[in-house]
Amino acid sequence: VFAVGKRSPQPYTAEEISTFTNLAALAATALEKAQLFDEVNRRARQLGALNEISQQLVAAETDDVNALLELITSSAVSILDSEAGSLLLADENDEMANQMVFRAVIGGASNELLGQRVPSNRGLIGEVVRTGKPQISNQVQSDDRWQGEVAKSNFRTQSILAVPLIAKERIVGVLEVLNKRDGTSYREEEVNLLTTFASQAAVAIENARLFAMTGSALNQRLEELQTLEQIDRALARALDQREVSRITIGWAQRGTNASSVVMGEVNLSNLTMRVLALQGYEPEDYPSGADGGIWPLHKGIVRRVLRTGVADLADLRFDPDYQASLRGSISQITVPMLSGSEIIALLVLEANGDAPFSLIDLEFVKRLAERSSIALANAQLYERIVRAAENKSEFVAFAAHELKNPLTSIKGFSDTLLNPRMAAVISDDQRTQFLSVIRSNAERMQAIIDDLRDIAASDAGKLQIAREPLQFHTVIEDTIAPFAQMLDQKDQTIVQEVPARLPTLYGDHKKLAQVLTNLVSNAHKYSPQGTAVRLTVEVLPTYRTPAGMELGECLYVSVRDSGIGMSPADLKRIFREDYFRSEDTRARAQKGTGLGMMITQRIIEGHGGRIWVESELDKGSNFQFVIPIQRYDDGKSSSTSNTAVRKKIVMSSPGQVEQG
């Protein structure tokens, strides 16, 4: 809030209010950028601390398990800037695993809690053990799950974040931090950070226990531990996803004699995998439906592993789910790679010849994947921080460039109007024209600022999709009505092929209108004089994405033009690059920021849908999207409005197109 006051009885003038409002807008923009910068710096510090502590954990393979547990707990408290923390492990003497023991406590009631046991089926700790998922309570006093584990002490718990320690797909303990020092609540991004750290901590604890073993058990594992230590050191230095993947598949092939290995980043939304590294595969070995480095995951053993989240050793001679890829393969290991509880990648090995993989091979690959998952998650976080910093610089430079031209025009015409000598010779028509130009450029600046704010919100994961029952006919009307004058100027028409009745659906009316406006505006701008833009809407009973994912009943929308079209190179870039602008000089001649398609794609995906384009140079483009209808059953269907249709907008039923 920005407020001023004065002692004088005279009220503020409209000009003073306008000036003050502009100052407030500038201040808000500056504050927003400063907050973003602070957030990036805070995340960078957290990642730096996480990386440093990760190296300490790698170096802390020792028989002093208690020292390691204390290091893990104090590191968690430090990373999340909390007042206290504790680490509980399952009671090794309890075969039923009904109790958890406080093994390390930092801050709070450390003396009272060490060695105490709590039931593993009650409270927040029990919830973590039962679900295997992180738990947050930012108001423990009103949370029924909170059992007051530290109620005997003088320490007062306000908030708590607890995550599982998982080793060998088994929950071996719980790591929790309490009360952020700045008094704020624990957030989802901090859950991910602590979960990633907990995964590495669990591996470190497991390693420490292994080092504590004596006799034959230690000797049996010594060689493998030495190998894993080398792997840890190699992975600890890698901050690039592809480098992490190359290291991983190299060790996987070396440790198992696999014929082929592939590792890829998983996209659970469309069930695909972006290949990061592979060895032993030729293009003809790629699975059916693969598009270059993008492999489908909607069927076969990989789909089974995604569904269960459990590593799989399959005999390909008998497994009914196997989708043949590598000729002569007889055995396959498929291991999910996790960040916290989320699958972020897959590691797949195949063996041909006479020697199938063994259970020992499976255990080795699982341990390798555990370590690689941590390095991969760190690399992803590091790349996001770097990308965020780069995007921030690009964002500022881009905004300055795009706002400079309309601002220059506004300043020039304003100076002319404010010059007494010029004002004396300017006619009323000229003055009106100058003001119109100023307003037009101000509206352009506002549109650019709105687009930039949407992009910033999307990048921060805060793009809001306000779902409510809506009638898509009204979205069409609100979109097309403002185009009437522009269509007249180019003697263009919009031909609508829209059913008279459409189901009421859930969606964001304003943002869907924004999508349709972007598509119709592009069709209008890039189409020649006297042409038609065709808007088609259909209800599809079901829709399957190219990757094989079923979206169910969908609304299909197409905006087709007969404009300049796009080259194959532009088609590959349009939905993959931020701030995309075509290299075609005819497209460059039109005003545009390159933000429209990026915002459009994110809005459609925010509705759970998909957008794509078909285009041919000099023959036009057809932008199409589908969104799940998610019917709103109110006993009604939307229908066309009785609003009069402007002369340049032609309504028609499917299969019957009228000429305007």
Side-chain angles (χ1 to χ4, degrees), residues 466-522:
R467 297 182 183 275
E468 59 184 359
L470 64 85
Q471 299 178 348
F472 199 72
H473 280 294
T474 62
V475 174
I476 297 174
E477 292 171 3
D478 291 349
T479 299
I480 292 180
F483 281 96
Q485 185 176 356
M486 290 183 285
L487 293 169
D488 280 337
Q489 292 171 354
K490 292 185 72 172
D491 193 27
Q492 293 176 335
T493 58
I494 295 182
V495 179
Q496 295 189 51
E497 293 178 295
V498 184
R501 298 179 68 81
L502 290 172
T504 302
L505 57 107
Y506 271 115
D508 190 316
H509 180 104
K510 181 179 178 181
K511 285 190 166 48
L512 289 177
Q514 184 179 358
V515 166
L516 212 52
T517 297
N518 286 337
L519 299 182
V520 172
S521 175
N522 283 347

Side-chain angles (χ1 to χ4, degrees), residues 412-435:
F413 281 101
S414 299
D415 289 344
T416 301
L417 292 173
L418 292 171
N419 188 316
R421 293 182 180 179
M422 296 297 296
V425 297
I426 293 175
S427 67
D428 290 342
D429 288 343
Q430 288 176 315
R431 183 176 289 102
T432 300
Q433 181 183 359
F434 288 178
L435 291 173

Side-chain angles (χ1 to χ4, degrees), residues 9 42 107 130 164 256 310 312 351 369 486 490 534 588 594 603 647 655:
R42 187 180 66 81
R130 184 182 65 82
T256 63
V310 177
D312 193 293
M486 290 183 285
K490 292 185 72 172
R534 190 175 302 277
R588 289 276 178 176
I603 291 174
K647 71 171 187 176

Side-chain angles (χ1 to χ4, degrees), residues 345-472:
L346 280 178
L347 179 60
V348 181
L349 294 79
E350 292 190 52
N352 57 20
D354 299 326
F357 293 123
S358 66
L359 290 174
I360 295 176
D361 292 327
L362 176 63
E363 288 302 314
F364 170 74
V365 176
K366 285 164 62 177
R367 292 191 185 95
L368 173 63
E370 285 178 1
R371 286 159 167 76
S372 181
S373 297
I374 298 163
L376 188 65
N378 286 344
Q380 289 176 340
L381 289 171
Y382 178 77
E383 289 176 12
R384 286 172 192 160
I385 290 295
V386 172
R387 195 180 309 121
E390 291 174 349
N391 286 346
K392 179 177 178 292
S393 298
E394 284 183 20
F395 189 86
V396 173
F398 174 80
H401 174 75
E402 289 298 322
L403 293 173
K404 182 178 179 180
N405 290 338
L407 188 61
T408 301
S409 180
I410 290 172
K411 186 175 184 300
F413 281 101
S414 299
D415 289 344
T416 301
L417 292 173
L418 292 171
N419 188 316
R421 293 182 180 179
M422 296 297 296
V425 297
I426 293 175
S427 67
D428 290 342
D429 288 343
Q430 288 176 315
R431 183 176 289 102
T432 300
Q433 181 183 359
F434 288 178
L435 291 173
S436 176
V437 171
I438 291 173
R439 180 173 181 81
S440 174
N441 280 280
E443 289 174 347
R444 173 163 168 72
M445 291 177 68
Q446 184 62 54
I448 293 172
I449 290 169
D450 289 344
D451 284 349
L452 291 172
R453 289 171 67 89
D454 282 345
I455 293 299
S458 177
D459 287 341
K462 297 178 181 177
L463 183 63
Q464 298 295 323
I465 302 295
R467 297 182 183 275
E468 59 184 359
L470 64 85
Q471 299 178 348
F472 199 72

Side-chain angles (χ1 to χ4, degrees), residues 465-476 498 501-513 537-540 553-557 604 607-608 625-639:
I465 302 295
R467 297 182 183 275
E468 59 184 359
L470 64 85
Q471 299 178 348
F472 199 72
H473 280 294
T474 62
V475 174
I476 297 174
V498 184
R501 298 179 68 81
L502 290 172
T504 302
L505 57 107
Y506 271 115
D508 190 316
H509 180 104
K510 181 179 178 181
K511 285 190 166 48
L512 289 177
V537 179
E538 297 179 28
V539 177
L540 305 180
E553 187 181 27
C554 286
L555 192 73
Y556 165 84
V557 180
I604 293 299
H607 280 79
F625 67 84
V626 292
I627 55 173
I629 286 180
Q630 298 180 355
R631 284 179 178 268
Y632 175 74
D633 188 9
D634 60 355
K636 302 177 183 179
S637 292
S638 68
S639 60

Side-chain angles (χ1 to χ4, degrees), residues 179-244:
N179 297 359
K180 291 185 67 175
R181 293 187 185 278
D182 60 7
T184 59
S185 299
Y186 290 109
R187 297 177 296 177
E188 193 63 31
E189 62 185 49
E190 291 167 326
V191 175
N192 296 333
L193 193 68
L194 189 60
T195 302
T196 300
F197 174 68
S199 299
Q200 187 162 353
V203 173
I205 293 170
E206 177 69 9
N207 289 346
R209 284 176 166 176
L210 291 174
F211 271 96
M213 292 191 306
T214 57
S216 61
L218 179 59
N219 293 330
Q220 290 174 5
R221 296 294 301 276
L222 183 58
E223 184 178 350
E224 181 181 344
L225 282 173
Q226 290 173 339
T227 300
L228 293 175
E229 183 180 9
Q230 295 178 47
I231 295 171
D232 285 340
R233 293 185 186 280
L235 291 174
R237 294 191 294 268
L239 284 175
D240 176 79
Q241 292 188 71
R242 294 190 181 275
E243 179 63 21
V244 170

